Amino acid sequence: MATLALTCVHNGLVKAEQSRILEPIHEALDKLRQQILRAMETNTANIYSIGLALQALNVTSVSYPSGDWSCSQMLAKVLTEISQGAFDNPMAAAQILPSLVGKTYLNVIRLSCLSVMVEYTIINHLRGQHFNHTIRVSVPKGSVLLSVLQAAQQNNPQDFSYETKQTSWGLMVVSINSRAANSNDKTYWQFFNGTKPLEQGVDSYVPSNNEHIEAIFSTY
Ligand code: B12
């Protein structure tokens, strides 16, 4: 954890400060790396230390490309242990998972750029109690529209509840705010990106940043 924290400080340094504390940081990172490698060599680190150790060795491998540890050997050991159930504990899994996908906890810094803001409006001016609600929600980039509906419901369950039904085309939104589609009445929830009707359902359509999605209770 100290290696990750120091690397984070190192990467965030502004130029004026660099000369003053860069060297002690390098020294500390070097010492930590040696300690971790020694623990690995002498087997004093057990399998549950490997998750954070791999992350630490990964973030320091740019400054120390000497190849003095075998990442693939370590991963092979971990994979064997995984198949034997050693990482069924959620905390153990959380520490090892980043290395298995080539990431470390330091990648979290960039997560904010990986989300999109979506404005979501639901309108019923057709039957029963009229309503018109708008909410702005943030969802991970690449999420399907269903995540927007889920986020809206989570942020404001009073105004943004919904229900879906599994169909041959995937999940269809059959009710919003208790206003249900009805085939006898030929009513349904129609989805738009701005004024353009969506050509996919909520479990396929991927909204872009700042998109305005409207769900309007309509007839067909
Ligand atoms: C009739 C129809 C509708 C009717 C269904 C009403 C009814 N009770 O019959 C209504 C008007 C409600 C409808 C709505 C939508 N539809 Co429509 N619909 C069709 C159509 C023309 C025929 C479906 C049908 O009757 N099949 C025969 C029956 C026997 O089979 P079924 O499996 O039981 O049919 C059900 C499903 O198809 C479901 N359904 C209908 N449309 C859609 C769309 C989605 C995304 C889902 C998950 C389910 C679904 O409703 C049917 C009746 O329960 C198809 C065309 C096609 N090529 O299939 C498009 C089609 C399936 N719909 C489509 C779309 C895009 C939509 C909407 C998303 C449009 C929008 N902008 O809002 C909405 C759904 C929004 C939501 N609430 O989730 C697309 C799906 C494309 C895709 N890649 O996902 C299709 C292929 C039309 C097209 N060429 O663009 N639809």
Side-chain angles (χ1 to χ4, degrees):
M1 287 309 276
T3 299
L4 291 168
L6 281 172
T7 306
C8 183
V9 172
H10 175 272
N11 295 348
L13 285 178
V14 289
K15 284 218 160 53
E17 285 169 318
Q18 269 182 348
S19 55
R20 205 161 35 88
I21 58 168
L22 206 60
E23 210 180 305
I25 287 182
H26 276 161
E27 274 171 26
L29 285 172
D30 196 24
K31 263 190 196 147
L32 287 166
R33 187 179 170 87
Q34 296 311 325
Q35 277 178 15
I36 294 167
L37 286 170
R38 209 168 322 126
M40 295 248 190
E41 274 165 23
T42 55
N43 266 339
T44 43
N46 75 20
I47 191 81
Y48 300 108
S49 305
I50 289 183
L52 288 182
L54 280 176
Q55 291 196 47
L57 294 175
N58 259 327
V59 294
T60 49
S61 62
V62 181
S63 4
Y64 307 91
S66 52
D68 48 5
W69 66 288
S70 169
C71 178
S72 52
Q73 216 176 322
M74 208 79 75
L75 279 177
K77 189 176 172 186
V78 168
L79 289 175
T80 309
E81 296 274 353
I82 289 174
S83 63
Q84 289 162 5
F87 286 88
D88 289 356
N89 175 303
M91 200 54 202
Q95 292 192 348
I96 201 71
L97 201 58
S99 297
L100 297 181
V101 290
K103 297 202 185 305
T104 74
Y105 288 162
L106 295 190
N107 290 99
V108 172
I109 297 164
R110 283 176 232 127
L111 276 186
S112 60
C113 338
L114 293 178
S115 57
V116 290
M117 284 301 289
V118 179
E119 192 170 58
Y120 174 51
T121 299
I122 52 172
I123 300 171
N124 166 32
H125 287 159
L126 196 61
R127 299 276 189 278
Q129 177 101 50
H130 290 195
F131 57 80
N132 184 333
H133 302 301
T134 295
I135 190 170
R136 271 172 74 79
V137 295
S138 166
V139 291
K141 191 174 174 184
S143 303
V144 293
L145 179 54
L146 188 64
S147 306
V148 171
L149 272 66
Q150 281 165 348
Q153 179 170 269
Q154 204 169 4
N155 291 359
N156 184 350
Q158 194 82 21
D159 290 339
F160 290 94
S161 63
Y162 69 93
E163 280 168 45
T164 56
K165 182 182 93 176
Q166 190 64 49
T167 75
S168 50
W169 280 94
L171 283 181
M172 187 172 193
V173 176
V174 289
S175 174
I176 290 180
N177 248 352
S178 303
R179 177 50 53 196
N182 183 330
S183 50
N184 297 328
D185 203 17
K186 290 196 180 275
T187 50
Y188 77 116
W189 280 100
Q190 187 176 18
F191 282 81
F192 297 85
N193 163 18
T195 54
K196 196 169 164 264
L198 296 190
E199 293 182 352
Q200 286 175 304
V202 289
D203 60 354
S204 305
Y205 183 76
V206 176
S208 338
N209 195 29
N210 290 324
E211 201 164 294
H212 185 193
I213 297 290
E214 281 193 345
I216 302 179
F217 199 52
S218 315
T219 49
Y220 54 91

